[in-house]
Amino acid sequence: EVQLLESGGGLVQPGGSLRLSCAASGFTFDNYAMTWVRQTPGKGLEWVSVISGSGKSTDYANSVKDRFSISRDNSKNTVYLQMNSLRADDTAVYYCAKRCSSSTCYKAFDYWGQGALVTVSS
Amino acid sequence: QSVLTQPPSVSGAPGQRVTISCTGSDSNIGAGFTVHWYQQLPGTAPKLLIYGNSYRPSGVPDRFSGSKSGTSASLAISGLQADDESDYYCQSYDRSLSAYVFGTGTKVTVL
């Protein structure tokens, strides 16, 4: 059974930093890209970042580029999101999700974690 | 700032069929990128409902179906049931933004 478990959320002041972790199990971790998606309270979904299975390729939404950094440790089956220079509008629930391959399900996000709440406030 | 537009809400009586539209542009759906649909029950994480425009993951009832034409896509729910009450989001890729994009979301209410 695929499981994704986020941790590291919490309250942080504007301008501060936070690192989210997502521990994965139930699949061959380094075979799949992983992604982060956020959802502001009561609002819709926004893609944040993606990292390839090897970790060599990454991409970011314009709204977080140069502030957030995605990485992974395939020996620990964990993906990270380092968030710096946080702003109030970064307040959201952050989900990690597994991206399936193009040959099996066209790169959809097929499994999601339960989410980690990040609140940026003074 | 979603680039995929969905109706805020749709409703139907039990047993009826409802459809949810997802309107994009020539830089995403119209460019040939596939559309996926997610169901988000209250207080839970999104769940993949339809992938590759029209395919259902294992375990998703065949009451749910997806289609795509031009710059738009649609999700249909037939035989509406009470536990279909949820938020639904479409998702694709936008080549101008070089980003995955989600729809604005649609709340389905069962009357």
Side-chain angles (χ1 to χ4, degrees), chain A residues 4 27 29 31-35 47 50-53 57 72 96-102 104-111, chain B residues 36 38 91 93 100:
Chain A
L4 300 171
F27 63 100
F29 185 66
N31 280 357
Y32 296 95
M34 297 294 294
T35 188
W47 171 75
V50 65
I51 186 167
S52 63
S57 176
R72 64 192 293 160
C96 73
K98 169 182 169 287
R99 194 189 76 181
C100 62
S101 68
S102 56
T104 55
C105 72
Y106 299 88
K107 298 187 179 181
F109 306 152
D110 58 348
Y111 290 94
Chain B
H36 316 300
Y38 301 87
Q91 180 248 310
Y93 186 83
Y100 294 97

Side-chain angles (χ1 to χ4, degrees), chain B residues 30-102:
Chain B
F33 293 105
T34 52
V35 178
H36 316 300
W37 290 89
Y38 301 87
Q39 177 190 53
Q40 187 176 30
L41 297 168
T44 69
K47 167 194 165 187
L48 181 63
L49 193 66
I50 296 287
Y51 68 90
N53 303 325
S54 60
Y55 298 96
R56 286 184 306 276
S58 172
V60 173
D62 59 6
R63 301 186 297 105
F64 295 90
S65 62
S67 64
K68 172 187 161 182
S69 179
T71 58
S72 295
S74 292
L75 173 71
I77 310 173
S78 60
L80 200 60
Q81 298 180 0
D83 57 5
D84 295 334
E85 278 208 343
S86 184
D87 293 326
Y88 294 84
Y89 295 90
C90 60
Q91 180 248 310
S92 186
Y93 186 83
D94 190 284
R95 65 182 176 192
S96 296
L97 297 173
S98 295
Y100 294 97
V101 290
F102 285 92

